[in-house]
Amino acid sequence: MFDTLGFTIDWLAIAAGFGIGMIVGLTGVGGGSLMTPLLISVFSLEKAVAIGTDLWFAGLTKVSGSIAHHRHGHVDYRITGWLLAGSIPASIATTTYMHMVGITKRADSMLSYALGIALVLTAVTIIFRPLWHRIGLWLERFITPRRQTVLTLVCGLVLGVLVSLSSIGAGALGATMILLLYPRLPTTRLVGTDIAHAVPLTIVAGIGHATLGNVHWALLIELLAGSVPAIWIGARLTKMLPDVWTRLALCASLLLAAKKILLTA
C-alpha cells in the first residue's frame, strides 16, 4: 500500500484489476469469472463480500461496452427483454431470501457450491465454444418460436439465481444460452445482446448485495482503476494470441479455482 495526500492506494488491488482486465480483453467473455476466486484467495474477503464486489466490478466494466454495442445496433432487445423478464425477478427473489436467512454457515456453504458450480460450467462453455453453435442448429428443429420465448425466459431465471449467488454466469453462460436458442444470430448481435443483459442483471444483483453490506467499495475502486485500461489493451492484443491457447489457459484457471472453493464448502 502507498499513502499519498491522505489516501491509501493498494497497488496489489490495482495490479489485480489490471490482470483480470487483460484476461477479459483477451478472452471476450469468461475471464471476469476469475475475479471472485481472486478476491477470496488473495484479498481474503468473505465469499459474500467477494461476490458482491465482483457483481459491481462486472456491471461497471461492461457499461461502456453495452453503450457501444447499442450505438452500432448490435443488441437484440427482444431477446434481452425476455432474459431480463426472468433474471431480474429471480435476482431480487434470491437476494431477498439471503436477507431473510442471513449469512449463516449453511448459507456460506451454499455460496461456495454455487460459486464452484458456476466456475465449472463457465469452463465447460468456454472450452467447447465451437460446439455450441452446431448443437443450437440441431435443436432448431425442436424449438418453435413459442418454445424459444419460454426457454429464453427460463434461461433468464436460471442466470438470475446463479449470478446473484456466485456473481458468475452473466457473460460466458449467458452467451452460450443465447447461442443454443438463437444459433443464427450474428456473432456481433449475440455478444451485444449478452452484454446488454449482463449490465442490468449484475447491477441489480449488486444492489441486493450492497443492501446486505456485501461490497468492499474501496477495493472496488482500485480494481476498476487497474482494469479499465487493461481491457482496452487486452482487446487489441487478442489477435496476437491463438484462441485455443487462451481458452485452455482460462479453463484450467477456472477449474483450479472451482476445485479450491468446492473443497472448502
Side-chain angles (χ1 to χ4, degrees), residues 89-166:
S91 176
I92 293 171
T94 303
T95 50
T96 299
Y97 175 75
M98 293 173 71
H99 265 284
M100 293 169 59
V101 302
I103 306 301
T104 61
K105 186 175 180 181
R106 180 180 178 185
D108 184 73
S109 180
M110 179 180 67
L111 291 176
S112 296
Y113 281 116
L115 181 55
I117 291 169
L119 287 167
V120 172
L121 288 175
T122 301
V124 171
T125 59
I126 292 170
I127 196 64
F128 294 111
R129 187 183 294 169
L131 180 64
W132 305 124
H133 183 253
R134 292 197 291 272
I135 294 175
L137 290 173
W138 178 77
L139 289 172
E140 257 189 335
R141 68 187 74 179
F142 307 108
I143 301 177
T144 63
R146 176 179 169 78
R147 289 174 180 172
Q148 195 177 52
T149 299
V150 173
L151 288 171
T152 304
L153 181 67
V154 172
C155 286
L157 284 166
V158 173
L159 288 171
V161 174
L162 192 60
V163 170
S164 299
L165 287 176
S166 68

